[in-house]
Amino acid sequence: MSRFLLRRVIELVIVFIGVTFIIYAAVFSLPGDPIASMGGDRPLPDNVVARLRAEYRLDEPLIMQYLHYLGGLLTFDLGTTYDGRSIADQLAARWPTTIALALTAWALELFIGVVLGLVAGLRYGTLTDRTILFVTVLATSIPVFVMGVSAQLIFGLELGWVPIAGTSEGWPQAYVLPALIVALYGLASASRLMRGSVVDTLRSDFVRTLVAKGMPSRQIVGVHVMRNSAAPVLTFLAIELGFLLGGTIVIEGIFNIHGVGGLLFDAIRTQQGPLVVGVATALILVFLVVNVLVDVLSSVLDPRIRHD
């Protein structure tokens, strides 16, 4: 296991450097001069533009800019925006909102998706199975903005069950509706994945052996089937958690939630390259760390998986 962890950490570092360089190169290769555009309708003097470009190292070769940025990351410095604000401070102000929304949506995906998938797998080929499959496919076919606006009109304006925008009322009132909308798309995939995994596990030889030995069905399903069916679902949900922590720009926009997704959108709109790269770097790190943790946990949940 120690060799596996060392190998995965080395892979994590290589992937992190490669992906962040691609993003950095893509962002700072875009046309336009963000420094020159800071003056708005009144262009900045040339000497001011030159000083700011030197301050943010925009006058250096791209590889030198990236190496300087990478050196800052070693001291947990994500840099500053062109208006002098700390990127780390802006992320810190937005993370609590995004984390609350992401974890709420993730918990709904985990619970509802696993339950629906388990029921469909145990009732494979029945009307229940077909109904769950139809509903989950239907949910993923509706655009997220249509689902979000419709939910606002029905549950917020017409029924008045939840607030329609903002987070002023706190958790869970302000988060449950947008989290449910986000979760619908993930839990549909999770339930179908769980369904297929349960069906495969029920057909395996060791389950037939347990049945032949007279083990109660509740124990077979609750211990053996669930444990062996959870690994692929766990992997999917881990990746989904990384996506959710990245913020969902559309949902945050519809429900006026000021999270990381909104910060990233504003950074792209205002050509704040350092902020775009800083937010992307944080999200990449979340994805990579979560995936390593999932690899380790998968070997615990599924005895067939062993890492040397």
Side-chain angles (χ1 to χ4, degrees), residues 69 78-81 85-92 263 273-279:
Y69 174 73
L78 292 174
T80 59
T81 58
R85 292 184 296 169
S86 169
I87 295 174
D89 290 344
Q90 293 185 62
L91 275 172
L263 181 64
L275 185 55
V276 174
V277 174
V279 174

Side-chain angles (χ1 to χ4, degrees), residues 55-86:
E55 180 180 344
Y56 288 97
R57 298 178 178 271
L58 296 177
D59 56 347
E60 297 182 2
L62 181 65
I63 186 64
M64 297 304 298
Q65 296 180 42
Y66 175 73
L67 290 176
H68 180 267
Y69 174 73
L70 203 60
L73 292 181
L74 296 177
T75 59
F76 304 99
D77 180 15
L78 292 174
T80 59
T81 58
Y82 293 133
D83 52 5
R85 292 184 296 169
S86 169

Side-chain angles (χ1 to χ4, degrees), residues 17-242:
I17 293 175
V19 175
T20 52
F21 176 73
I22 292 173
I23 293 176
Y24 193 95
V27 169
F28 287 98
S29 297
L30 293 174
D33 188 348
I35 299 297
S37 65
M38 290 175 61
D41 295 333
R42 300 183 62 181
L44 296 174
D46 292 340
N47 62 329
V48 175
V49 172
R51 181 177 60 82
L52 290 175
R53 288 182 60 83
E55 180 180 344
Y56 288 97
R57 298 178 178 271
L58 296 177
D59 56 347
E60 297 182 2
L62 181 65
I63 186 64
M64 297 304 298
Q65 296 180 42
Y66 175 73
L67 290 176
H68 180 267
Y69 174 73
L70 203 60
L73 292 181
L74 296 177
T75 59
F76 304 99
D77 180 15
L78 292 174
T80 59
T81 58
Y82 293 133
D83 52 5
R85 292 184 296 169
S86 169
I87 295 174
D89 290 344
Q90 293 185 62
L91 275 172
R94 299 291 188 106
W95 271 123
T97 300
T98 294
I99 289 174
L101 176 62
L103 290 181
T104 303
W106 191 77
L108 292 171
E109 288 187 22
L110 176 63
F111 178 74
I112 301 176
V114 169
V115 170
L116 288 178
L118 180 61
V119 172
L122 295 176
R123 303 287 191 276
Y124 177 72
T126 65
L127 179 61
T128 301
D129 175 31
R130 296 190 182 95
T131 301
I132 293 175
L133 187 61
F134 172 77
V135 172
T136 54
V137 171
L138 179 63
T140 57
S141 65
I142 302 176
V144 63
F145 62 88
V146 174
M147 187 78 74
V149 173
S150 300
Q152 277 184 318
L153 293 174
I154 297 173
F155 299 106
L157 292 178
E158 297 295 333
L159 299 177
W161 290 354
V162 290
I164 61 172
T167 57
S168 59
E169 297 194 23
W171 190 91
Q173 292 87 352
Y175 291 88
V176 63
L177 186 58
L180 181 59
I181 301 302
V182 174
L184 280 176
Y185 299 89
L187 71 86
S189 299
S191 65
R192 294 200 298 273
L193 185 60
M194 184 67 181
R195 169 185 177 269
S197 186
V198 168
V199 172
D200 290 340
T201 304
L202 289 174
R203 292 172 176 174
S204 60
D205 293 336
F206 82 93
V207 171
R208 294 193 184 99
T209 302
L210 294 176
V211 174
K213 288 183 176 181
M215 181 177 288
S217 299
R218 181 174 299 179
Q219 186 176 353
I220 294 175
V221 173
V223 178
H224 300 281
V225 174
M226 282 292 294
R227 180 176 179 179
N228 286 276
S229 302
V233 181
L234 175 66
T235 302
F236 167 78
L237 288 175
I239 298 174
E240 183 72 6
L241 178 60

